Amino acid sequence: MSGEETQPRRLTRAETKARTRALLLDAAAQVFARKGFAGASVDDIAEEAGFTTGALYTHFSSKEEVFVEVFASRSRHRLVEAADIVSDADQSPDETRSAMSRLVVDVADNDVDFALLQAEFWLYAIRRPEFQQHLAGQFRSNRDALTAVLAARAEKRGQGGDAPFEELSTVLLALFQGLVQLRRTDPDLVPESLYGKASHWLFTGLAARS
Amino acid sequence: MSGEETQPRRLTRAETKARTRALLLDAAAQVFARKGFAGASVDDIAEEAGFTTGALYTHFSSKEEVFVEVFASRSRHRLVEAADIVSDADQSPDETRSAMSRLVVDVADNDVDFALLQAEFWLYAIRRPEFQQHLAGQFRSNRDALTAVLAARAEKRGQGGDAPFEELSTVLLALFQGLVQLRRTDPDLVPESLYGKASHWLFTGLAARS
DNA sequence: GTCTATAAGACGATAGAC
DNA sequence: GTCTATCGTCTTATAGAC
């Protein structure tokens, strides 16, 4: 036991700095989720990470900067996951639908901070025009990614080549957010299979369009 | 011009008290929407209403109480409106759908505080178990009202008597919230007719279910 | 790079004059 | 019923010791 089981050698200065920064960002995400942007103090964040405010201010210049960095580090993860689920063309439509439903349940029930942070980011963005544009761009790229996946999948099956996949993507995205928020408020409101069922209805109805 | 054109007589003490309270609540709604619950100060609210903090504290015992009262006074309005639209059985399905779409656009584009306050209420509730139950109950009653309306309308047309209207209501509610948030972030993301289109797909797909 | 100590101000809420 | 004045606390951010 030389104390080196987990780390092959001492961390360089740059590495410890990056590690502290990451610890602070993780702590900040938790605290922002628990208390909100305005309700969280810099002291709360530093203490949660095991440091002091003085240490935090060597890594970030303000509370706002911490928040924006948390946002940047937490984006993309979950919705890339969603696109992966839909893009897995090996599974049957039934499997895809149940995977979609499972994602809603998993996010709402297990990723306790997700919906909270999402709401905090949204409010922060709506109140700051510059940041709002940033968030809009992100939504747009999520929608575009989903649109491409839907179109590819439809083409593979040789059907619905001219369907309004972009509008459908927007609906699926909005419905995901809405259902996660609802289930987070009360799990009984959103049955485990609902997201998959709803998308089934959407696809069927869209295919039968006049 | 005796200065009595608008008011037939002087307000009683109780009436001025109620009026001040209402002014404070309106101002509070605006300020909470603009700055959030934690970001808004009691001074901001009182000043917006044209009073001082001392006056505010004769009507409310704390900032929390003001917030809860704002929530109570602002609930129900918009979603009752939604139920009215769907329950108007005189109009054709096409008219109903376009009215639904218009509601999303109207709320997102014109009722500037609606989505902000909704998000603030949700965050406040999720962080306070007692209030969370209250919000869940409200969601449930909105869903039930919509479910009843959908079932009544379907019965009138003599179709889909055994359809899962409760699940459909939940989906329509979640989608409404999601689309309003999305359109508030960037109007270009949500075409004016999208909510109606999506519900058309949902109804058609549901009717064709196996 | 992280600490302690502190500056300068904003905050929620109360007391007493009018 | 509303005002002014004020208390004590908590806030963000900085300066200097280690």
Side-chain angles (χ1 to χ4, degrees):
Chain A
M1 296 254 254
S2 62
E4 304 231 346
E5 306 99 348
T6 51
Q7 295 292 340
R9 59 175 188 78
R10 251 213 195 76
L11 272 56
T12 65
R13 275 170 286 277
E15 281 167 345
T16 60
K17 185 172 178 181
R19 191 169 168 280
T20 300
R21 207 187 128 94
L23 286 171
L24 284 166
L25 283 176
D26 273 2
Q30 269 185 249
V31 175
F32 283 136
R34 199 188 311 135
K35 303 193 170 187
F37 172 69
S41 75
V42 180
D43 227 54
D44 290 334
I45 297 167
E47 196 180 0
E48 176 75 35
F51 299 95
T52 59
T53 68
L56 187 145
Y57 276 99
T58 68
H59 293 272
F60 306 95
S61 68
S62 69
K63 189 169 88 164
E64 294 228 15
E65 193 184 299
V66 177
F67 188 80
V68 172
E69 292 293 314
V70 169
F71 176 76
S73 72
R74 294 280 164 139
S75 296
R76 281 184 287 279
H77 280 129
R78 281 297 192 178
L79 283 156
V80 162
E81 201 175 324
D84 284 348
I85 285 175
V86 182
S87 72
D88 184 354
D90 285 349
Q91 47 187 9
S92 70
D94 259 9
E95 285 168 334
T96 300
R97 282 194 286 276
S98 86
M100 287 170 72
S101 292
R102 247 181 291 117
L103 185 65
V104 168
V105 172
D106 182 46
V107 168
D109 297 3
N110 301 328
D111 197 345
V112 286
D113 290 346
F114 177 86
L116 276 304
L117 283 176
Q118 204 71 12
E120 287 291 335
F121 290 151
W122 185 79
L123 282 167
Y124 185 90
I126 293 294
R127 290 169 182 148
R128 288 163 186 82
E130 179 192 314
F131 206 78
Q132 176 171 359
Q133 277 188 296
H134 183 80
L135 186 63
Q138 197 174 286
F139 281 153
R140 213 171 303 121
S141 93
N142 286 338
R143 179 204 61 184
D144 292 345
L146 187 55
T147 303
V149 161
L150 291 177
R153 195 171 169 142
E155 195 186 5
K156 200 163 192 173
R157 297 173 182 259
Q159 50 182 290
D162 62 335
F165 291 122
E166 193 169 277
E167 292 186 329
L168 179 61
S169 300
T170 306
V171 169
L172 286 173
L173 240 52
L175 184 58
F176 177 79
Q177 304 262 20
L179 285 178
V180 168
Q181 279 185 30
L182 259 166
R183 184 168 171 98
R184 192 72 167 70
T185 312
D186 184 354
D188 290 343
L189 285 168
V190 181
E192 299 215 357
S193 62
L194 192 55
Y195 192 44
K197 259 192 209 173
S199 38
H200 181 50
W201 297 335
L202 284 167
F203 276 97
T204 310
L206 197 145
R209 77 192 187 283
S210 51
Chain B
M1 294 258 254
S2 61
E4 303 230 347
E5 307 97 345
T6 52
Q7 294 291 339
R9 59 174 188 78
R10 250 213 197 74
L11 273 56
T12 66
R13 274 170 286 280
E15 281 166 345
T16 60
K17 184 172 180 180
R19 192 172 166 277
T20 299
R21 206 187 127 95
L23 286 172
L24 284 166
L25 283 176
D26 273 2
Q30 270 186 248
V31 175
F32 283 137
R34 198 189 311 136
K35 302 192 170 188
F37 172 69
S41 76
V42 181
D43 228 52
D44 290 333
I45 297 168
E47 195 179 0
E48 175 76 33
F51 299 95
T52 59
T53 67
L56 186 146
Y57 277 99
T58 69
H59 294 272
F60 307 95
S61 68
S62 67
K63 190 170 86 165
E64 293 229 13
E65 193 182 299
V66 178
F67 187 80
V68 172
E69 292 294 314
V70 169
F71 176 76
S73 72
R74 294 281 163 136
S75 296
R76 280 184 288 278
H77 280 129
R78 281 297 191 177
L79 283 155
V80 162
E81 201 175 324
D84 282 350
I85 285 174
V86 182
S87 72
D88 183 354
D90 285 349
Q91 47 187 8
S92 69
D94 259 8
E95 286 169 333
T96 301
R97 282 194 285 277
S98 86
M100 288 171 71
S101 292
R102 246 181 291 116
L103 186 65
V104 168
V105 172
D106 182 46
V107 168
D109 297 2
N110 301 329
D111 197 345
V112 286
D113 290 347
F114 177 85
L116 277 305
L117 283 177
Q118 204 73 13
E120 287 291 335
F121 291 151
W122 185 79
L123 282 167
Y124 185 90
I126 294 293
R127 290 168 181 149
R128 287 163 185 81
E130 179 192 315
F131 205 79
Q132 176 171 359
Q133 276 189 296
H134 184 79
L135 186 63
Q138 197 176 286
F139 281 154
R140 210 171 303 120
S141 93
N142 286 338
R143 179 203 61 184
D144 292 344
L146 188 54
T147 304
V149 162
L150 290 177
R153 195 172 169 141
E155 196 186 6
K156 201 162 191 175
R157 295 170 184 261
Q159 50 180 293
D162 62 335
F165 291 122
E166 193 169 277
E167 291 186 329
L168 180 60
S169 300
T170 307
V171 168
L172 286 173
L173 241 53
L175 184 58
F176 177 78
Q177 304 262 19
L179 285 178
V180 168
Q181 280 184 30
L182 222 55
R183 184 169 170 97
R184 193 72 167 68
T185 311
D186 183 355
D188 291 343
L189 285 169
V190 180
E192 300 215 356
S193 62
L194 193 55
Y195 191 44
K197 260 193 210 174
S199 40
H200 182 48
W201 298 335
L202 285 167
F203 276 97
T204 310
L206 197 145
R209 77 192 185 284
S210 50

